[in-house]
Amino acid sequence: MAFSADELRVLRRALAIALHPAPLQDEDVQDCLRLAESVDEAVREAGRLRAFLLDDLARYREALPGSLSGYLELLRDALAAGYDPGADDLAALRALRRNPAAAELLARCQVLAERSVRARLARVSQATASTAPSVSRARLLALPGGRAAGDEPKPKPPVPAERPVPKPSEVFPPRRRPVPPPPPEERVAG
């Protein structure tokens, strides 16, 4: 991010006021607000540019191996801007490692990815440690060797004898054949 000469003047004045508090003139307040708006807009624009570059990188990665040189160049630029290579990038570079430039970039990306994973694991373990209740270790060390000598393992209750599997005829009784209706001459009108 680059500041213009006027923005640097405002920034210098704001820092001086922060170090040595003094009443502000309305013009100084307006200048600081405009500078803050400019910085916010630059941050938003940087976010949009980053999203565009990452989308572009994904498009080039999907078009590999035909887009090798463009992909490698975009990946180098993204790494220089602080991008952490993902699993897709590592897989693509592994497939292209016969190319010396891709092999070099693969080695660099593996180091960066490992560093990123270690940092995330450290943050997770710190967060877990800070939220975990403190447990007294004395209770855990009170019984050396596990059980006391008088504690014998209890015998397991006997397993009940298995019932025999019923036959299908016991579960599903045989069907009775339907009785045919009597012939019409034997029917009684009622």
Side-chain angles (χ1 to χ4, degrees):
M1 179 182 299
F3 291 105
S4 69
D6 287 335
E7 290 172 333
L8 283 176
R9 180 184 49 79
V10 171
L11 185 59
R12 186 177 295 132
R13 226 177 337 159
L15 289 173
I17 292 170
L19 291 173
H20 306 288
L24 292 174
Q25 297 176 6
D26 288 340
E27 182 182 324
D28 290 338
V29 171
Q30 293 301 320
D31 288 344
C32 287
L33 290 174
R34 278 194 297 275
L35 178 62
E37 288 174 8
S38 296
V39 169
D40 289 343
E41 178 58 31
V43 168
R44 284 191 296 273
E45 183 62 29
R48 286 191 294 267
L49 180 61
R50 179 178 171 85
F52 173 77
L53 290 176
L54 293 179
D55 288 344
D56 209 20
L57 183 65
R59 281 191 295 276
Y60 272 79
R61 184 176 46 239
E62 290 170 4
L64 285 173
S67 63
L68 177 64
S69 62
Y71 173 70
L72 295 179
E73 183 180 336
L74 280 174
L75 185 58
R76 278 192 199 99
D77 292 345
L79 293 174
Y83 171 69
D84 285 330
D88 292 339
D89 295 309
L90 294 173
L93 290 171
R94 282 187 194 108
L96 301 168
R97 69 177 138 213
R98 289 188 179 149
N99 180 303
E104 174 191 339
L105 208 50
L106 174 62
R108 181 177 169 199
C109 286
Q110 285 174 330
V111 169
L112 292 173
E114 183 177 334
R115 213 178 281 161
S116 174
V117 168
R118 287 181 190 274
R120 277 183 279 171
L121 287 175
R123 284 192 301 267
V124 168
S125 66
Q126 286 175 353
T128 305
S130 66
T131 59
S134 61
V135 177
S136 172
R137 296 255 181 214
R139 184 171 47 106
L140 298 174
L141 301 175
L143 298 173
R147 293 190 175 111
D151 291 344
E152 294 296 322
K154 295 179 183 176
K156 293 182 181 178
V159 178
E162 292 185 24
R163 296 185 333 195
V165 177
K167 297 177 185 174
S169 63
E170 295 172 344
V171 176
F172 304 106
R175 289 187 184 180
R176 300 190 189 264
R177 294 187 181 171
V179 178
E185 38 300 318
E186 293 180 11
R187 287 189 199 161
V188 178

